[in-house]
């Protein structure tokens, strides 16, 4: 799956998927066959961090 290139679009896309379809970032990455490291690093570069208790980036 091609992830959005724009960091804010990626943030919105990932959080929507986590909220509506996946119980964790690991489950999302495994199902969508995307790199967890890439998502975490791209969002961290613009100030977002994953919170597993809330299952979202913020």
């Amino acid at each position: 799956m091609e992830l959005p290139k724009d960091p804010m679009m990626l943030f919105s896309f990932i959080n929507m998927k986590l909220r509506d379809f996946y119980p964790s970032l690991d489950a999302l990455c495994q199902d969508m066959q995307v790199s967890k490291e890439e998502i975490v690093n791209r969002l961290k570069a613009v100030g977002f961090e994953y919170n597993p208790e809330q299952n979202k980036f913020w």
Side-chain angles (χ1 to χ4, degrees):
M1 160 131 222
E2 180 85 23
L3 295 173
K5 301 289 184 209
D6 179 85
M8 293 308 291
M9 291 298 293
L10 178 63
F11 169 75
S12 179
F13 175 80
I14 295 295
N15 274 346
M16 181 271 302
K17 290 288 192 181
L18 289 170
R19 181 191 69 225
D20 294 346
F21 301 107
Y22 297 100
S24 70
L25 182 58
D26 289 325
L28 177 149
C29 292
Q30 182 177 17
D31 185 57
M32 296 181 68
Q33 299 180 351
V34 295
S35 167
K36 178 180 177 180
E37 184 178 349
E38 177 187 350
I39 293 169
V40 169
N41 289 340
R42 285 177 57 193
L43 292 176
K44 187 175 186 176
V46 292
F48 295 112
E49 191 171 308
Y50 180 65
N51 181 317
E53 290 82 33
Q54 294 185 356
N55 192 34
K56 68 178 183 178
F57 281 88
W58 59 296

